Amino acid sequence: MKTSLRLLVLLVVPALAGHVLADDSTPADRARELQRDQGLVQTLIASGLKLAAEKDPLRRADHCNRLADSYAVEIKRAVQHKDAQRAAQYGQQMQALLTRGVAQNLAVARAAPKPDEPEINRLGAWVSITAKSIEDELGNHPELETEEMQFMLDAVARGKADVDQAVKGKH
């Protein structure tokens, strides 16, 4: 299986599995959760298909960055709704996307004979802005400084660090 398809499976399956495997929620709760996440699941599938067809590593990194933005929106929405468990789950998935999608593709792009430095730097900066927006949203809700929220922040920070290393050529 191609790396981009593995990444898609890695992201979509946990998003769907949470609804099916939820052990303490009612079928109506699970249906509401699936409906709530339907936009993200559709985005993941559509973007994953584009990603699977893309050969250029910078474009793949860009696709993954756009998906990371979608995760950031969902994480911030979870923070606003005080849903620490959902924020932590999406933080972990965002880390995988940043590490396996953005950073790995940037590393491949950097290894090219003539790497596109401005684009590599732009994509790295984009990740920094996205990560900062999550931190800022959590900062607006100091009552949510829980272990799960810290787990989410740590996961996003690890993904961002992997991207930073790839931008610098150290990945």
Side-chain angles (χ1 to χ4, degrees):
M1 188 183 299
K2 291 175 71 175
T3 301
S4 53
L5 288 176
R6 276 190 225 126
L7 181 61
L8 175 64
V9 170
L10 176 74
L11 297 171
V12 174
V13 170
L16 293 172
H19 302 295
V20 175
L21 300 175
D23 47 330
D24 62 343
S25 58
T26 67
D29 291 337
R30 289 192 297 275
R32 275 192 298 279
E33 289 169 2
L34 185 57
Q35 185 175 25
R36 173 198 65 200
D37 294 340
Q38 184 177 7
L40 179 61
V41 170
Q42 288 174 335
T43 298
L44 288 169
I45 292 169
S47 296
L49 293 172
K50 288 179 190 174
L51 184 62
E54 184 59 62
K55 296 196 184 319
D56 180 82
L58 281 177
R59 286 188 167 175
R60 286 194 311 257
D62 187 49
H63 283 303
C64 291
N65 251 344
R66 292 175 193 278
L67 284 172
D69 283 346
S70 296
Y71 271 103
V73 167
E74 293 303 321
I75 290 169
K76 290 185 281 189
R77 187 173 292 141
V79 169
Q80 292 165 356
H81 289 103
K82 299 173 179 39
D83 189 345
Q85 184 178 7
R86 182 169 178 246
Q89 175 188 4
Y90 284 153
Q92 189 174 18
Q93 291 174 6
M94 185 171 170
Q95 176 191 357
L97 181 60
L98 292 174
T99 298
R100 295 180 181 164
V102 179
Q104 285 183 358
N105 281 299
L106 289 179
V108 170
R110 177 158 293 294
K114 292 185 179 183
D116 185 346
E117 296 289 336
E119 184 65 4
I120 290 169
N121 291 330
R122 182 189 73 79
L123 292 170
W126 190 349
V127 170
S128 294
I129 291 166
T130 300
K132 177 83 168 93
S133 74
I134 293 169
E135 292 171 14
D136 290 347
E137 185 62 45
L138 187 55
N140 293 333
H141 301 277
E143 74 279 7
L144 295 178
E145 293 181 11
T146 65
E147 194 173 308
E148 285 177 304
M149 288 297 185
Q150 190 58 52
F151 176 81
M152 177 271 297
L153 285 175
D154 291 346
V156 172
R158 284 189 301 273
K160 179 187 170 299
D162 288 341
V163 171
D164 290 344
Q165 292 296 309
V167 168
K168 294 175 188 172
K170 299 178 181 177
H171 195 265

